[in-house]
Amino acid sequence: MMILDSSSTQLNKKAEQILLGALPEFLEHGYAATRMDQVAKTAKVSKQTLYSYFDDKEGLFTALIQYVACQKFRLVWSQPLSGEPRQVLTQLAQRIMTEINDPDYLCFVRLIIAESGKHPELSQLFLQNVAQPAISIFKGYLQDHPELKIKDPEVIAHIFVGSLIHNILTQDMLSGHTIIPMKPERLISNLVELIMND
């Protein structure tokens, strides 16, 4: 289950309390059907307090995206990428698969995708807080290891992270485990070998 904690953001306690109340409301009802008065009730704050922190539902959802994204980013990428490449790549891939493959988190991602047509800025915010810095960090690691002989570290970073995310989305969000089954261990092992033998 996805857990939000105060170390993942600089928000004060009251704002965090509101976000903790908003998350289950958005997950249960979706963006359009979530009501601010119900968020206030779930968060155990008055509507006046809710609106003193967030002007409207879009502002609240935007803050929630940033909050959740930063938490997940911290869980996956807070450990420095240092050491022998095969071990680092394997451990990083395992962390991505473990931390991202969270039912509540995947529901939240599904909600963002559903809203991306009407509110592309929300999905862009999510990518700016998760994908963009992740690619940047991994690209930097690859550049620091010329022994891997990688010609385009940015492309390899996209392939590595993208392949893992694609596996999670197809296997778990789209129930692909019955149509195109792929065990995480098998994917990780072969993905690491591709990079090591590049």
Side-chain angles (χ1 to χ4, degrees):
M1 182 175 184
M2 182 163 51
I3 299 172
L4 304 181
D5 59 61
S6 57
S7 63
S8 61
T9 182
Q10 295 299 314
L11 291 173
N12 67 35
K13 291 294 184 182
K14 188 61 70 173
E16 183 179 32
Q17 180 180 338
I18 293 170
L19 292 177
L20 287 168
L23 179 61
E25 291 299 317
F26 280 116
L27 291 181
E28 182 177 352
H29 303 292
Y31 180 82
T34 294
R35 301 189 340 261
M36 292 292 272
D37 59 339
Q38 187 58 45
V39 169
K41 183 177 179 181
T42 303
K44 296 181 173 58
V45 299
S46 67
K47 287 179 67 175
Q48 182 179 0
T49 298
L50 172 58
Y51 282 107
S52 71
Y53 283 93
F54 305 101
D55 293 335
D56 52 27
K57 184 165 66 173
E58 184 174 344
L60 174 62
F61 193 59
T62 297
L64 189 59
I65 288 174
Q66 193 163 16
Y67 191 72
V68 172
C70 287
Q71 181 221 17
K72 281 298 178 184
F73 181 83
R74 179 180 56 79
L75 289 172
V76 174
W77 297 93
S78 61
Q79 298 181 36
L81 300 182
S82 60
E84 186 272 321
R86 185 182 300 276
Q87 181 181 7
V88 169
L89 295 175
T90 301
Q91 291 176 346
L92 175 60
Q94 290 170 342
R95 281 203 307 275
I96 291 174
M97 296 294 279
T98 299
E99 297 299 340
I100 301 302
N101 196 5
D102 172 331
D104 283 350
Y105 183 70
L106 292 179
C107 285
F108 192 68
V109 171
R110 185 182 289 115
L111 181 57
I112 294 170
I113 293 171
E115 291 301 317
S116 63
K118 295 179 182 177
H119 302 282
E121 70 281 1
L122 297 178
S123 54
Q124 290 170 355
L125 176 66
F126 184 76
L127 291 176
Q128 287 169 353
N129 281 276
V130 178
Q132 189 177 51
I135 295 295
S136 178
I137 291 172
F138 192 51
K139 172 187 171 184
Y141 175 80
L142 296 175
Q143 288 173 329
D144 291 340
H145 288 271
E147 72 273 19
L148 293 175
K149 299 178 181 179
I150 292 174
K151 295 178 182 178
D152 194 332
E154 185 174 13
V155 168
I156 298 302
H158 274 271
I159 291 171
F160 184 82
V161 175
S163 297
L164 297 170
I165 300 301
H166 176 267
N167 181 261
I168 293 170
L169 296 181
T170 56
Q171 298 297 297
D172 297 288
M173 284 183 67
L174 300 177
S175 301
H177 49 82
T178 59
I179 307 297
I180 48 171
M182 175 59 64
K183 293 291 185 182
E185 299 79 12
R186 181 181 173 196
L187 175 65
I188 291 171
S189 174
N190 282 273
L191 196 54
V192 170
E193 285 301 322
L194 282 174
I195 294 177
M196 295 299 297
N197 296 326
D198 190 86

